[in-house]
Amino acid sequence: MMSMEENKKIYDVMILGAGPAGLTAALYAARGGLSVLVIEKGIDGGQIAATDKVENYPGQVLEGESGESLSKRMALQAERFGAVKVQDVIAEASLDQEVKELRGQKETYLARYVILAMGASARPIGCKGEERFKGSGISYCATCDGNFFTGLDVYVAGGGDAAVEEAVFLTRFARKVTIVHRRNQLRAAKSIQEKAFQNPKISFLWDSVVEEAYGEGVLQGLVIRNVKTGELTRIEADPADGMLGLFGFVGNIPSSALVKGIVDMDEKGYIQTDEDMRTSLKEVYAAGDIRVKNVRQVVTAAADGAVAAVHISAEYQPYV
Ligand code: NAP
């Protein structure tokens, strides 16, 4: 239903999310001659905006370039070809009609095609006290919060690429970084593992999870549970420090709640697509970390975005 929006611009494509998938889709769709709107709720770049270094994106050889600067360049490139960007939080979506509607806090946006590129966000660590100490000892972003923990002891939950890479980054600030991993082997790529094993500031608590976070106002202690023996160990902040840090990198959850029940998903909430990035709904595509796939990297997100945009450009029929 179009209702009060009769005079509103109807874009050819609107893209929800300005991470590598969304921004690449915007670049390709704009270069394909389509009018493009990108809607982002926060800052550009999605998860890489909070990544200190992106070393595995082809062509990424500038010394010291961060995920944030890479995403800024992606956004600039898409805008140079005419993509329009707005910041808004979309609350509702009507996608089963010819002109699709995304209703945001600021405005309603209309387009013929939609690309869902909302990505994923950090999964909670799952320990007691997690909510209480978010922002006062517990964080999910080393680039954003690492310097608050200068000279302190820091714990990192997880054993994947993110946990190990960010643990290495945190050694710039922390006195000591301990990786708490639920198995006795890391999941992270070997090249990333080697950096951690060689770093004298990093140690490991194997077969362990964080059971509880506690403290008076700030995070002052952790209870660690050995998953094999069930043994509980209390770790107290050095009294001279007054607090310690806990960073969670235990994987991600897809940001797909908006379209639950609208497009097909797997049991974890990742959106199902065909290899051209079409979802179960006509003229609605999905790209990047939000979709069911095996490899979630900047380069695969960008590739998804390009594939979606190329197929939309080929399919698109202007109104006559
Ligand atoms: P991930 O690869 O899914 O790893 C999550 C880690 O957290 C795993 O080691 C997992 O343990 C552990 N874990 C999961 N649930 C847990 C729980 N409830 N309690 C304790 N530990 C738990 O996630 P990620 O490291 O965030 O990476 C996500 C994606 O981004 C991956 O595809 C990754 O390759 C990519 N990424 C790439 C780079 C890079 O290439 N430089 C950097 C960051 C991320 P198990 O190992 O036992 O399952």
Side-chain angles (χ1 to χ4, degrees):
M1 198 181 78
M2 280 272 299
S3 63
M4 73 291 179
E5 307 294 348
E6 301 289 329
N7 299 320
K8 236 178 144 51
K9 178 170 172 80
I10 301 172
Y11 285 89
D12 297 332
V13 193
M14 57 187 168
I15 299 166
L16 196 46
L23 292 173
T24 308
L27 170 68
Y28 273 72
R31 295 195 78 237
L34 302 180
S35 61
V36 179
L37 176 71
V38 182
I39 308 165
E40 167 58 51
K41 71 169 167 26
I43 51 168
D44 292 346
Q47 292 171 83
I48 62 156
T51 303
D52 173 48
K53 266 191 202 152
V54 180
E55 289 182 335
N56 53 7
Y57 187 68
Q60 183 73 7
V61 290
L62 299 179
E63 271 306 306
E65 194 176 46
S66 64
E68 188 189 2
S69 59
L70 175 64
S71 27
K72 277 193 179 141
R73 288 195 285 120
M74 287 182 177
L76 186 64
Q77 195 177 2
E79 285 173 295
R80 278 207 183 138
F81 285 98
V84 175
K85 272 185 40 231
V86 293
Q87 197 183 39
D88 203 349
V89 179
I90 301 301
E92 275 182 299
S94 301
L95 304 179
D96 58 354
Q97 56 225 18
E98 188 178 327
V99 176
K100 287 135 192 76
E101 282 189 31
L102 293 175
R103 290 182 288 282
Q105 286 175 353
K106 295 180 186 162
E107 254 192 75
T108 294
Y109 308 94
L110 308 176
R112 300 268 304 280
Y113 283 82
V114 171
I115 302 176
L116 303 166
M118 297 91 92
S121 60
R123 175 187 290 143
I125 299 163
C127 63
K128 262 184 247 159
E130 184 164 5
E131 276 305 312
R132 225 172 102 213
F133 294 106
K134 267 184 195 169
S136 53
I138 297 185
S139 168
Y140 308 86
C141 175
T143 314
C144 324
D145 298 331
N147 67 338
F148 294 129
F149 298 90
T150 301
L152 302 179
D153 290 344
V154 163
Y155 291 78
V156 168
D161 288 343
V164 181
E165 241 179 21
E166 300 306 313
V168 171
F169 173 71
L170 285 164
T171 60
R172 292 189 200 176
F173 309 99
R175 174 168 54 216
K176 163 172 149 299
V177 176
T178 307
I179 296 178
V180 183
H181 183 38
R182 65 181 177 182
R183 293 186 292 135
N184 62 2
Q185 216 179 7
L186 296 172
R187 176 183 294 277
K190 288 279 176 279
S191 58
I192 298 175
Q193 291 192 22
E194 273 160 26
K195 285 190 212 163
F197 290 136
Q198 283 162 12
N199 192 313
K201 279 185 158 185
I202 295 184
S203 56
F204 297 85
L205 281 174
W206 300 110
D207 299 317
S208 298
V209 293
V210 180
E211 184 77 7
E212 188 179 345
Y214 64 88
E216 294 291 326
V218 292
L219 181 65
Q220 291 170 318
L222 299 173
V223 178
I224 305 290
R225 178 167 56 86
N226 183 302
V227 293
K228 287 203 167 143
T229 63
E231 188 191 350
L232 297 176
T233 309
R234 277 172 95 85
I235 293 169
E236 302 266 348
D238 186 318
D241 296 343
M243 73 176 291
L244 48 74
L246 172 63
F247 283 78
F249 298 106
V250 295
N252 298 311
I253 41 179
S255 306
S256 59
L258 178 74
V259 289
K260 193 167 183 225
I262 297 181
V263 294
D264 288 352
M265 295 177 187
D266 70 5
E267 71 290 348
K268 291 182 190 151
Y270 289 100
I271 297 172
Q272 267 147 356
T273 65
D274 68 9
E275 65 178 35
D276 297 338
M277 309 302 143
R278 288 185 190 89
T279 69
S280 54
L281 205 56
K282 197 169 165 249
E283 294 158 354
V284 177
Y285 287 64
D289 281 13
I290 199 164
R291 73 180 195 94
V292 177
K293 62 196 290 193
N294 289 325
V295 181
R296 293 194 172 88
Q297 297 280 311
V298 183
V299 69
T300 61
D304 285 0
V307 170
V310 166
H311 284 280
I312 291 172
S313 303
E315 222 178 80
Y316 180 80
Q317 295 289 337
Y319 288 128
V320 280

